[in-house]
Structure formats: structure tokens, C-alpha cells
Amino acid sequence: MFNALVVEKDAESGKTHAEVRALALEDLPEGEVTVAVEYSTVNYKDGLCIGPGGGLVRNYPHVPGIDFAGTVEASSDARYKAGDKVVLTGWRVGEAHWGGYSQKARVKADWLVPLPGGLDTRAAMAVGTAGFTAMLAVMALEDHGIKDGPVLVTGAAGGVGSVATAILAHLGHEVAAVTGRPETGDYLKSLGATQIVARDELNETVKRPLEAEMWGGCVDAVGGEMLARLLGQMKYGASVSAVGLAGGAGLPATVIPFLLRGVNLLGIDSVMQPYDNRVRAWERIARDLPMDKLEAMVQPAVLSDLPGLGRDILKGQVKGRVVVDVNG
């Protein structure tokens, strides 16, 4: 027997309820690899799946947790053997498939990535899906050429933004961090941000499609009106990696920044990334994310904390990275 956070849905009321419960190995879904999970994290999608589901959860009972790191216990796939350290992000695990909020998980071998040298399982989940996404966003900016000047990071105090800020600063870029929480200014500066931009400065809608060229690149976790606004502030040929929609899914923008300044809008998907790019991103994380900065982001948690943390992250009240010790 082992413990897991299980979400049930009442058929009559449609309401969900999450609690830690004991499960048996035969309860786990089919898959080639059984993993003894050590750590997971809390992401926005997790908040949805712990609660009403947000349309992401297909069947109940359900075990959320869109990422995890641990040790292989059994494998029918030749790529993995007992004792291997592995990490999993994406592939709709924790949404359509049972996820990492469990002391055991059984998944398809194709979904796993060997843990790179220099990272243990706890550090891997301090990175987690948010950090993996942040590295994909930085890599996309690099592939298209980061221009001179500050690199803007919106939603900078959140999971993706925190890691993106730390990575970009470590790589030698000047980072301008956007936040709606003034109290996080010192935290963002500790990650390497040299400029704090109040969210209200970019939330204000303007009618001009182009403004002064200010940013050499951008990792945007907000979307909506803020993304529309900052597109008109990018330097010529600069790129924006779009990783989130906390500010809304709409984009009230014009094509002028793309046509007159050659701005690139790069969509970043971490869920269905090909294996080779996953390995590349995790190797870059092990090399280019300063571990001391990573530790400063960490908020520890255990399985019983997850219902409350799920509600908090949906309200924007979680700072940095939550690392869930599933055995704690």
C-alpha cells in the first residue's frame, strides 16, 4: 500500500473533493515503468485538477500532479531499469492520466527522461514543469537571437517567471521583472533582476501599435492585454516567448509590430515536446540554472498540503516553486 492524493467527483452535485488515501499497486493505470515517486510540484494546472478540473480531468477518481521525479522500481522497457533516476513532465500526466501526487506511479516509458548529472530528484522538482518551460522559452529566444538591452519577464514572481529570471541573469542578461506584488521586489532582485516593473505600467491599454523600443527579448507568462502592449515595445527583430495566459487568452493586438519591426511571437509548449529537445532542455537546466538561486525559490510541502495549495495557486498567491515531498 502507498499514499496518494485522490480527487473524487460527486455524480449528483458535480463537486469535487481531494484527500490523501491509501492505494494498492493494482490500482495504478497500465504502463511500462513503475516509479517510486520522491518529489512533485504545484503548477496552475495542478490547481485546476485538484479542484473542479477546469475541463482537464477526464475520469474520476483521479490522481493529479503534472510532473514528478523519482527512482524506477520496475520496467518492461529496455531503456530503463530498477534504480534509474527519472523525471517526467507533460504528456497530459496529472490531467488525462494519473500523475505525481502519489508515492508510486506507473507510466509509459516514452514519457520519461533520464535525470541529468548534477541534479537530484528534489532539485529536478524545484525546477519542475515551470522551470522546464522557462528553459524552453529561453532556448527559443536564443535560437532567434536575443537583442541588446533588458530582457522582460512578466509574471516574474511565479514559477516560470522565477526560473526564467534566474537563468537569464545567470547567462549575463539584464532582466526587467514585471510583478503585480511589490513585496516580491527583493525576492526578484535576489534572483538576478536588475529592474522591477510594476504590472500596472504594462496593463494600461494604449491605442498606438508601436511605442519606444525597450526590450531585447521577453518571456511572457501573462498574455492578454499585457502581451499586446509589450509587442509594441520590443526592439527591432526581438522575440517574445509566450508561455502562459494568466491575463487572458485574448490578444487585442495589431500586426504592425510584426510587419514594421520584425517582432517574433514564439509559442512555447512543454506538454508534447519531442524527446531530444526535452533532453537538451534538462541538460541546459543542469548547467545554466544556478542551484543557489533555485533553492531560494523553494517552498516545501507534503501531500496533505495540496488541497490548500491548489486553491492558493489559482488565486495567484503562490510565490516561486513548491516542492512536494510525497513521502513526507
Side-chain angles (χ1 to χ4, degrees):
M1 302 294 286
F2 57 90
N3 290 330
L5 183 79
V6 180
V7 183
E8 294 273 13
K9 186 174 185 178
D10 183 83
E12 293 185 5
S13 68
K15 293 183 178 180
T16 57
H17 173 71
E19 65 178 359
V20 178
R21 184 185 304 172
L23 298 177
L25 282 174
E26 53 265 31
D27 294 322
L28 292 174
E30 294 183 358
E32 297 90 11
V33 185
T34 302
V35 179
V37 179
E38 296 164 20
Y39 295 97
S40 186
T41 64
V42 179
N43 303 275
Y44 192 86
K45 281 185 179 180
D46 293 317
L48 293 173
C49 295
I50 292 170
L56 299 176
V57 179
R58 293 178 177 177
N59 300 297
Y60 293 90
H62 180 68
V63 176
I66 68 169
D67 48 22
F68 64 77
T71 304
V72 173
E73 280 196 340
S75 174
S76 61
D77 187 284
R79 288 171 288 179
Y80 297 101
K81 64 183 185 303
D84 287 348
K85 299 291 185 180
V86 292
V87 60
L88 183 149
T89 63
W91 300 112
R92 298 210 65 201
V93 168
E95 304 172 39
H97 314 280
W98 280 20
Y101 292 165
S102 173
Q103 293 171 336
K104 309 281 185 185
R106 187 180 292 138
V107 296
K108 292 184 178 180
D110 288 342
W111 297 345
L112 297 169
V113 174
L115 195 65
L119 287 180
D120 59 22
T121 53
R122 182 180 182 277
M125 283 298 97
V127 176
T129 293
F132 175 65
T133 304
M135 180 54 81
L136 291 175
V138 171
M139 287 164 45
L141 292 182
E142 292 174 338
D143 290 345
H144 287 78
I146 298 177
K147 307 305 177 183
D148 292 336
V151 179
L152 192 70
V153 178
T154 70
V160 177
S162 292
V163 180
T165 298
I167 292 171
L168 288 164
H170 181 73
L171 293 172
H173 297 287
E174 182 183 352
V175 180
V178 182
T179 180
R181 294 177 279 172
E183 67 275 11
T184 62
D186 289 342
Y187 164 74
L188 292 169
K189 289 179 179 177
S190 75
L191 299 181
T194 55
Q195 180 182 352
I196 306 299
V197 181
R199 181 171 59 197
D200 290 344
E201 292 185 24
L202 286 174
N203 266 347
E204 181 185 357
T205 303
V206 297
K207 295 182 179 180
R208 301 187 303 278
L210 293 176
E211 298 181 67
E213 298 180 44
M214 300 175 64
W215 317 115
C218 175
V219 176
D220 174 55
V222 176
E225 292 183 357
M226 184 179 293
L227 174 56
R229 174 83 185 275
L230 64 87
L231 285 170
Q233 298 179 349
M234 304 304 297
K235 291 196 171 184
Y236 188 91
S239 301
V240 177
S241 288
V243 301
L245 42 64
L251 185 60
T254 76
V255 297
I256 298 300
F258 310 119
L259 301 180
L260 298 187
R261 285 191 183 156
V263 171
N264 304 299
L265 181 58
L266 312 174
I268 306 300
D269 167 61
S270 66
V271 176
M272 307 302 290
Q273 277 289 318
Y275 177 81
D276 289 347
N277 211 38
R278 289 178 182 272
V279 172
R280 176 188 170 211
W282 279 106
E283 289 176 346
R284 284 288 306 275
I285 286 166
R287 184 173 77 239
D288 293 328
L289 176 58
M291 291 301 128
D292 59 330
K293 304 294 187 186
L294 184 65
E295 189 59 36
M297 306 176 198
V298 170
Q299 173 184 339
V302 296
L303 287 176
S304 59
D305 296 325
L306 288 168
L309 286 167
R311 291 189 293 269
D312 289 345
I313 199 166
L314 295 180
K315 297 175 184 176
Q317 295 175 350
V318 173
K319 180 181 76 174
R321 305 289 301 124
V322 176
V323 176
V324 182
D325 181 352
V326 301
N327 300 295

